[in-house]
């Protein structure tokens, strides 16, 4: 920063920023993403690294205060240590004599708050949130126990979803720092965060704690499942301190929201998160994940990318001995027992109990199955061996076996909950391949299917195409499905393929427009897309649409129509009267390059969410 006094430099107004402007000798502004009380966010291109980033400009009141800039600079430096695939990455704090900004990772999708508004009931069903909640819990567990961070401003608007369907937590340490710094220099009564999602302890200005984020997770889930936060009108701060929120089922009933019943475990877990006293809440997000039933989801990143993130870390009370070191790369841990240890124990017992050839065949099968499958296979082999024991080779007489060595497989059940296989049935565990059937209404929508572990932005889809589709030879497990294309909204879901045949069906809310023309066979366009020739029925999502018709060398004037779900409208184009058509500006359709399903979905996300960019980062 220049030594020239800031008083001599007139700070640029945020309104003076323009597209194409070069900021901080490095970032070329491309478009405005959002505006709020804590500054504005621009999409920019880093000309040194040739990549898109988001620039969050400080409000003038903070920029002019040297202490505030220094405080936010320190907070940004701390945030550089947060490196997790489910957390928006902070790159740098940049400043000159006119402005200051925080550069961060650009997320090419909407936030959960925006996606919620697009739903028919303005809220999600619990099954639609499973994958994203697992992402959220994993990110928070890493931040709390590996990086020493508490967010303190968790809300649906800070939970971003990439075009690949991966959830990323935004504004870690930044939003709360901006609120607190603004409060300090303006006498504004704030303890950081957003009122509807703050715990009673945060309202009182107590030191940050993990249980503050646990409360915010409960408040965010409450809104996503009911369309409103637990307390949203009246004296909210008083209600947060003294009032117990209605159950989510009751809130839905009062708001007239129909849908699938909220699972009991979700109802109970959210209520526990919203407890007034921290001791009554789950002690960690690891516990929240366990109660919600998302702890077992195999959605963790590749071990080579972040081995310390493969498991949640249980929080220990103060004064307890330090936790054991993390497992070596290539190992997974569950309930304190490593998979290699379990596999080794099974191999030892089976190898001494049965003949060498039989145990070698069993070991070959165990090497291809996971640890849960190993127990199931071993039990079946034990039953077979009991009825027809194999003969020992001449080189290894039975007398050489240690007499005290156990010969029954049930004794190797080191982990009874593991053998229960709560997440899957034995049938699913032994599947080598499965089929997934995709159905949508309307049909013909592009889709892309990603492996549950493929969370990096440049991951390739496992399959892509148009619905309906039958996908054969899939490996059992979790998949992220992205389906939809303009004018239809993009729908993102986690599909659990654990049976030989799984079917996914999604009904998009829609109305119908009957379009007729005189003479018939006029080409009909919705926006810029040709949809067919009149007469025809066009299914469209609820909302405003522009429909035009073209007949020979004449093009109709655009017709605006608002589609209502479940209703049918009618449009007529008459090319026999001159006042209904124009011969100017006849639509010339350029030859389109063939697009993949993934390209269509990406274009759809850009078009569909481009109308309200205030929630993007």
């Amino acid at each position: 920063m220049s030594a020239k006094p800031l008083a001599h430099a007139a700070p640029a107004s945020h309104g003076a920023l323009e597209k194409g402007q070069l900021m901080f000798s490095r970032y070329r502004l491309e478009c405005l993403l959002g505006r709020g009380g804590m500054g504005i966010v621009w999409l920019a291109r880093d000309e040194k690294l040739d990549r898109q980033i988001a620039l969050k400009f400080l409000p003038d009141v903070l920029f002019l205060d040297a202490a505030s800039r220094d405080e936010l600079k320190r907070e940004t430096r701390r945030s550089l240590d947060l490196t997790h695939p489910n957390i928006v990455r902070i790159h740098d704090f940049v400043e000159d004599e006119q402005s200051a900004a925080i550069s961060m990772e650009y997320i090419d999708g909407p936030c959960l708050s925006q996606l919620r508004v697009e739903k028919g009931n303005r809220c999600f069903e619990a099954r639609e949130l499973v994958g994203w909640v697992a992402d959220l819990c994993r990110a928070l567990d890493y931040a709390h126990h590996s990086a020493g961070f508490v967010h303190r401003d968790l809300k649906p608007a800070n939970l971003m979803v990439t075009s690949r369907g991966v959830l990323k937590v935004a504004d870690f340490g930044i939003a709360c720092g901006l609120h607190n710094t603004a409060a300090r220099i303006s006498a504004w009564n704030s303890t950081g965060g957003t009122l509807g999602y703050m715990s009673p302890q945060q309202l009182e200005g107590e030191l940050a704690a993990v249980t503050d984020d646990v409360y915010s997770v409960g408040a965010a889930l409450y809104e996503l499942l009911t369309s409103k936060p637990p307390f949203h009108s009246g004296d909210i701060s008083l209600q947060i301190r003294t009032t117990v929120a209605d159950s989510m089922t009751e809130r839905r009933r009062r708001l007239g929201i129909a849908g699938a019943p909220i699972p009991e475990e979700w109802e109970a877990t959210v209520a526990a998160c919203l407890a007034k006293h921290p001791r009554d809440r789950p002690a960690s997000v690891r516990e929240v994940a366990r109660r919600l039933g998302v702890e077992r989801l195999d959605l963790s990143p590749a071990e080579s990318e972040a081995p310390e993130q493969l498991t949640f870390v249980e929080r220990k009370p103060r004064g307890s001995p330090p936790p054991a070191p993390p497992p070596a790369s290539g190992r997974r841990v569950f309930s304190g027992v490593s998979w290699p240890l379990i596999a080794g124990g099974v191999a030892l017992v089976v190898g001494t109990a049965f003949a060498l050839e039989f145990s070698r065949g069993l070991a070959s099968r165990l090497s291809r199955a996971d640890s849960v499958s190993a127990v199931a296979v071993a039990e079946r082999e034990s039953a077979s061996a009991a009825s027809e024991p194999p003969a020992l080779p001449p080189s290894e007489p039975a007398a050489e076996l240690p007499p005290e060595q156990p010969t029954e497989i049930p004794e190797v059940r080191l982990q009874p909950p593991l053998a229960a296989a709560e997440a899957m049935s034995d049938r699913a565990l032994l599947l080598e391949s499965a089929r997934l059937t995709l159905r949508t209404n309307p049909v013909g929508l592009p889709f892309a299917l990603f492996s549950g572990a493929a969370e990096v932005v440049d991951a390739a889809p496992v399959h892509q195409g148009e619905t309906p589709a039958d996908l054969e030879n899939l490996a059992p497990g979790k998949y992220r499905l992205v389906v939809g294309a303009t004018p239809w909204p993009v729908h993102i879901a986690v599909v659990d393929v654990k049976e030989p045949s799984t079917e996914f069906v999604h009904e998009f809310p829609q109305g119908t427009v009957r379009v007729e023309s005189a003479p018939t066979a006029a080409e009909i366009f919705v926006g810029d897309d040709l949809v067919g020739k009149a007469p025809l029925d066009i299914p469209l999502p609820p909302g405003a649409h522009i429909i035009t018709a073209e007949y020979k060398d004449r093009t109709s004037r655009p017709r605006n129509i608002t589609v209502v779900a479940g209703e049918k409208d009618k449009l007529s184009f008459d090319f026999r009267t001159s006042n209904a058509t124009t011969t100017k500006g006849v639509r010339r359709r350029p030859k389109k390059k063939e697009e993949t399903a993934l390209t269509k979905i990406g274009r759809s996300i850009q078009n569909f969410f481009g109308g309200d960019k205030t929630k993007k980062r």
Side-chain angles (χ1 to χ4, degrees):
M1 180 176 174
S2 171
K4 184 178 180 180
L6 287 174
H8 296 167
S13 168
H14 289 154
L17 299 176
E18 297 178 352
K19 179 179 178 181
Q21 187 174 348
L22 184 66
M23 302 299 299
F24 313 111
S25 303
R26 177 172 182 171
Y27 303 109
R28 184 77 61 183
L29 300 183
E30 294 189 351
C31 66
L32 179 65
L33 294 178
R35 183 187 301 273
M38 291 297 102
I40 63 173
V41 182
W42 275 78
L43 173 64
R45 177 161 293 279
D46 184 342
E47 296 197 338
K48 288 186 178 180
L49 299 180
D50 191 25
R51 65 175 179 180
Q52 286 185 317
I53 57 99
L55 273 182
K56 187 163 192 169
F57 287 88
L58 269 59
D60 290 343
V61 65
L62 299 185
F63 171 76
L64 292 172
D65 186 79
S68 298
R69 291 198 315 277
D70 185 64
E71 183 177 337
L72 289 171
K73 192 183 300 183
R74 290 198 307 271
E75 192 67 30
T76 303
R77 274 199 297 267
R78 284 192 66 223
S79 300
L80 295 177
D81 295 332
L82 286 168
T83 55
H84 190 276
N86 296 116
I87 295 177
V88 175
R89 185 71 186 269
I90 302 297
H91 296 316
D92 199 5
F93 183 95
V94 289
E95 59 183 332
D96 56 20
E97 294 182 346
Q98 294 185 331
S99 58
I102 299 169
S103 67
M104 62 187 74
E105 177 186 4
Y106 168 62
I107 305 302
D108 60 351
C111 63
L112 286 188
S113 179
Q114 186 173 352
L115 286 176
R116 178 187 65 76
V117 174
E118 304 296 337
K119 304 292 292 182
N121 288 328
R122 300 295 188 269
C123 64
F124 292 93
E125 300 295 344
R127 59 181 170 76
E128 298 176 301
L129 296 174
V130 169
W132 291 331
V133 172
D135 289 348
L136 172 61
C137 290
R138 185 170 55 253
L140 292 177
D141 186 82
Y142 160 80
H144 293 164
H145 302 295
S146 297
F149 266 85
V150 177
H151 194 290
R152 297 205 105 193
D153 194 28
L154 287 171
K155 54 187 176 182
N158 279 338
L159 306 180
M160 313 295 295
V161 179
T162 71
S163 60
R164 297 292 191 267
V166 180
L167 182 136
K168 287 180 177 274
V169 183
D171 282 353
F172 237 111
I174 301 300
C176 190
L178 286 171
H179 279 282
N180 289 334
T181 304
R184 179 180 60 78
I185 66 176
S186 63
W188 172 40
N189 184 20
S190 171
T191 53
T194 305
L195 183 59
Y197 312 92
M198 295 166 63
S199 69
Q201 292 69 40
Q202 190 173 350
L203 277 176
E204 298 296 338
E206 296 183 11
L207 293 177
V210 168
T211 49
D212 293 330
D213 280 354
V214 169
Y215 182 97
S216 298
V217 168
L221 288 178
Y222 193 105
E223 176 184 341
L224 293 172
L225 291 168
T226 69
S227 79
K228 296 181 183 299
F231 309 106
H232 57 90
S233 62
D235 191 339
I236 297 177
S237 60
L238 177 63
Q239 294 174 63
I240 290 175
R241 293 183 177 96
T242 62
T243 305
V244 176
D246 293 334
S247 69
M248 294 186 290
T249 300
E250 175 62 18
R251 176 64 61 84
R252 277 189 165 201
R253 187 191 65 79
R254 289 189 179 184
L255 296 176
I257 297 175
I262 294 177
E264 293 182 3
E265 60 270 23
W266 285 58
E267 191 79 76
T269 302
V270 170
C273 291
L274 296 176
K276 304 301 179 186
H277 199 284
R279 67 169 174 264
D280 298 323
R281 299 174 202 147
S284 66
V285 291
R286 180 70 168 85
E287 177 66 14
V288 173
R290 186 191 67 78
R291 295 190 186 190
L292 292 175
V294 303
E295 180 186 34
R296 292 176 181 269
L297 289 181
D298 187 16
L299 295 174
S300 34
E303 297 181 31
S304 60
E305 180 181 357
E308 73 279 9
Q309 299 157 11
L310 291 176
T311 59
F312 290 104
V313 181
E314 295 292 349
R315 189 179 186 186
K316 304 294 184 182
R318 291 184 179 178
S320 61
S329 177
R331 296 187 178 185
R332 291 178 180 245
V333 174
F334 185 86
S335 300
V337 182
S338 69
W339 298 127
L341 180 60
I342 294 176
V346 172
L348 176 63
V349 175
V350 174
T352 57
F354 302 108
L356 181 59
E357 291 184 6
F358 181 78
S359 61
R360 183 177 301 153
L362 179 60
S364 175
R365 288 192 295 277
L366 288 176
S367 66
R368 294 192 301 267
D370 58 24
S371 56
V372 181
S373 300
V375 175
V377 172
E379 289 177 343
R380 276 187 276 276
E381 298 294 354
S382 175
S384 174
S387 61
E388 188 178 348
L392 293 172
S395 60
E396 292 188 18
E400 295 181 6
L401 289 174
E404 71 279 4
Q405 194 67 259
T407 59
E408 292 188 3
I409 288 300
E411 295 186 14
V412 306
R413 295 178 182 174
L414 304 179
Q415 198 70 290
L418 213 61
E422 297 174 3
M424 293 185 181
S425 65
D426 285 346
R427 181 184 181 188
L429 291 170
L430 297 176
L431 282 177
E432 293 185 359
S433 64
R435 182 175 74 173
L436 174 61
T437 301
L438 303 179
R439 300 282 185 269
T440 61
N441 185 11
V443 299
L445 296 182
F447 72 87
L449 187 71
F450 299 89
S451 171
E455 298 192 355
V456 292
V457 172
D458 59 351
V462 178
H463 286 282
Q464 57 180 309
E466 293 187 350
T467 60
D470 290 314
L471 309 180
E472 304 281 355
N473 299 322
L474 286 178
K478 305 284 182 177
Y479 293 86
R480 294 179 185 271
L481 175 66
V482 184
V483 59
T486 305
W488 299 93
V490 173
H491 178 74
I492 303 171
V494 174
V495 183
D496 187 2
V497 179
K498 59 181 181 181
E499 298 292 338
S501 181
T502 302
E503 185 176 28
F504 176 87
V505 179
H506 183 70
E507 297 271 348
F508 286 86
Q510 58 185 282
T512 304
V513 179
R514 173 70 175 180
V515 181
E516 298 178 349
S517 69
T520 60
E523 294 182 325
I524 307 302
F525 295 81
V526 176
D528 291 326
D529 296 325
L530 175 64
V531 296
K533 293 185 177 182
L536 79 165
D537 292 323
I538 309 175
L540 289 172
H545 300 276
I546 298 177
I547 298 179
T548 53
E550 181 177 312
Y551 183 76
K552 295 183 178 179
D553 60 347
R554 291 176 290 173
T555 300
S556 72
R557 295 185 179 91
R559 302 281 291 274
N560 296 315
I561 188 168
T562 300
V563 175
V564 178
E567 296 187 5
K568 187 171 184 177
D569 289 300
K570 183 177 180 180
L571 280 181
S572 296
F573 296 93
D574 191 347
F575 288 91
R576 298 171 301 183
T577 59
S578 59
N579 60 356
T581 60
T582 176
T583 57
K584 297 180 180 179
V586 175
R587 185 185 302 271
R588 301 298 182 189
R589 296 187 297 279
K591 293 183 179 179
K592 291 186 177 181
K593 297 181 180 178
E594 289 192 9
E595 294 180 308
T596 64
L598 190 59
T599 304
K600 293 180 182 178
I601 291 173
R603 181 166 57 87
S604 178
I605 291 176
Q606 181 180 6
N607 294 340
F608 186 76
F609 296 112
D612 181 9
K613 298 181 180 178
T614 60
K615 299 298 184 182
K616 290 186 179 179
R617 293 291 183 270

